Amino acid sequence: MAALVGFLRRNDQRRRLPRPRMFRDRLNPLELRTDDELFERYRFRRPTIIYICDMIADTVSHGTRRSMALPPMLQLLVFQRFVATGAFHQLLGDTVHVSKATAGRCIRRVASAIANAVGRFIRFPTGQEALNVKRKFHAIAGCVDGTFIRIQTPSENEPDYVNRKGYHSLNVMMTCDTNFLVTNCVAKWPGSCHDSRVFRESTLCHQFENGQHDGLLLGDSGYPCRTYLMTPFTATNDMRYRERYNTALCRTRVLIEQTYGILKRRFPCLAVGLRTDPGRACQYVVACVVLHNVGILRQDIVTLSLDDLTIAGPDIQEIGDPANNNGFGYREFIARQCFDH
């Protein structure tokens, strides 16, 4: 009996011995893929990937060479693979021979580093840049709209994130220029918030209210009509100039809808949904928008037909009081001056 007990103890000790460390061969996709293959898998071509890596290298680099620390390039490629597919961390780790936990840390670290560059790449135009945008837009400063980004069911304040379509999401507001460049991004509101509230509480709205920007924004009927924010007539009353105004506004404002389409085509994780908590999802959205602008500025763009992009309908109509704001009178003035002929 004593011999049996000793045998079992020895076996138990053997099972408790630490597992030997395994160092896997890590492949660098930039050395194995062509530019087109890189674009299909990582949504950017080689020069842009190197540019983004140089931009975040100091932030994501590890302070040691021990334990085969991941270089910034592989960390970036894990993140880009994530936003290009929305795949699970286990699958993403397998592509570069790292563990599921390591893939998750790479995604969070790189997303944070890219999101921190928001002030560099997402800026509302001012000065000469604003004049150039208005010249292309014919006095329009930009187009504004919101979009839903699906997220997993949050553990806190769950009802706040259920949008009008019945699923959990963020309500993200953006503005764009004629080149589909995002000039303002607000990604922090739950899906149940109305577009008008997201805009009303934004820094951009306060800047327009204080006269820091001139020109006009174009929005749909979900936004309030202001002297700086033009919305369509909800009732034209068979007046031809109002109908022409609505047609012209919709044809111009469609740029923001197309921008959302381009953004979600490049980064399908935003279309299929983010399986993470709201705070982290907001960071991922901002990081994707920064990368979207980087791609446009470097002319590393998605080639697609804009006719195929999905155009979403407006949020529930914003009810305003014409007596409390002269935006309605200004809209009527513009419509008569420009389209009553």
Side-chain angles (χ1 to χ4, degrees):
M1 186 65 182
L4 178 60
V5 172
F7 174 78
L8 293 176
R9 286 178 178 174
R10 287 192 297 274
N11 280 351
D12 186 58
Q13 290 175 353
R14 292 194 188 99
R15 284 197 296 268
R16 292 181 181 179
L17 290 175
R19 294 175 56 189
R21 301 191 65 180
M22 296 180 60
F23 296 97
R24 305 173 185 174
D25 292 332
R26 291 169 181 160
L27 305 177
N28 186 352
L30 263 64
E31 299 172 354
L32 305 174
R33 306 287 184 183
T34 65
D35 273 1
D36 290 339
E37 290 174 337
L38 288 172
F39 187 85
E40 290 176 359
R41 291 162 174 79
Y42 301 100
R43 314 312 290 157
F44 291 101
R45 294 174 178 85
R46 191 185 316 273
T48 307
I49 293 175
I50 295 174
Y51 172 83
I52 298 170
C53 183
D54 292 341
M55 182 179 75
I56 65 171
D58 292 340
T59 305
V60 302
S61 295
H62 295 283
T64 178
R65 294 186 178 182
R66 297 179 60 187
S67 304
M68 296 287 289
L70 274 183
M73 178 59 72
L74 286 186
Q75 294 184 55
L76 173 63
L77 292 177
V78 170
F79 174 75
Q80 289 187 312
R81 189 69 164 160
F82 167 71
V83 296
T85 62
F88 290 100
H89 293 180
Q90 182 71 65
L91 181 61
L92 297 170
D94 291 344
T95 60
V96 292
H97 296 173
V98 299
S99 68
K100 172 183 174 181
T102 300
R105 286 192 294 269
C106 289
I107 292 168
R108 293 189 292 273
R109 187 182 297 117
V110 173
S112 176
I114 294 175
N116 287 338
V118 62
R120 177 179 172 187
F121 292 100
I122 304 178
R123 296 176 299 175
F124 201 81
T126 57
Q128 185 60 44
E129 188 179 0
L131 293 176
N132 294 337
V133 172
K134 287 191 289 184
R135 189 177 299 113
K136 295 178 182 179
F137 258 138
H138 301 288
I140 304 302
C143 301
V144 60
D145 199 10
T147 188
F148 292 132
I149 304 296
R150 186 188 293 267
I151 61 173
Q152 72 178 16
T153 304
S155 58
E156 298 180 358
N157 303 319
E158 180 268 339
D160 293 343
Y161 290 90
V162 179
N163 61 31
R164 59 187 171 86
K165 297 183 179 181
Y167 60 85
H168 298 89
S169 72
L170 302 173
N171 189 357
V172 180
M173 186 196 81
M174 299 184 199
T175 61
C176 74
D177 64 11
T178 54
N179 297 318
F180 309 110
L181 196 73
V182 176
T183 55
N184 186 266
C185 177
V186 179
K188 63 180 181 180
W189 291 91
S192 64
C193 288
H194 195 280
D195 284 352
S196 61
R197 182 187 177 189
V198 176
F199 177 75
R200 187 171 60 249
E201 299 290 339
S202 68
T203 301
L204 182 64
C205 177
H206 297 159
Q207 290 173 346
F208 268 99
E209 292 281 358
N210 295 329
Q212 292 179 240
H213 302 294
D214 57 0
L216 298 173
L217 289 174
L218 300 184
D220 60 25
S221 56
Y223 290 93
C225 186
R226 297 287 185 265
T227 54
Y228 53 83
L229 175 56
M230 292 293 101
T231 60
F233 288 99
T234 55
T236 60
N237 297 326
D238 294 327
M239 298 180 182
R240 293 293 298 166
Y241 71 89
R242 288 187 174 186
E243 294 174 356
R244 295 191 189 103
Y245 165 90
N246 280 358
T247 299
L249 184 144
C250 291
R251 285 179 176 175
T252 307
R253 201 194 64 80
V254 76
L255 283 169
I256 185 63
E257 301 281 4
Q258 292 173 339
T259 299
Y260 283 138
I262 294 171
L263 180 67
K264 292 182 180 182
R265 284 286 185 89
R266 186 189 281 269
F267 306 116
C269 69
L270 301 181
V272 301
L274 296 168
R275 292 181 291 270
T276 186
D277 62 85
R280 195 163 289 161
C282 292
Q283 190 175 69
Y284 292 168
V285 170
V286 173
C288 287
V289 175
V290 170
L291 292 180
H292 164 84
N293 281 3
V294 169
I296 291 179
L297 292 172
R298 294 185 59 82
Q299 299 183 349
D300 192 351
I301 59 176
V302 178
T303 303
L304 49 81
S305 172
L306 295 181
D307 295 333
D308 296 335
L309 300 180
T310 302
I311 307 300
D315 207 338
I316 301 172
Q317 179 182 347
E318 168 73 4
I319 305 299
D321 182 3
N324 293 334
N325 191 285
N326 58 357
F328 295 91
Y330 193 46
R331 179 178 64 184
E332 184 74 16
F333 172 78
I334 291 176
R336 284 184 179 274
Q337 288 293 315
C338 299
F339 301 101
D340 191 9
H341 51 75

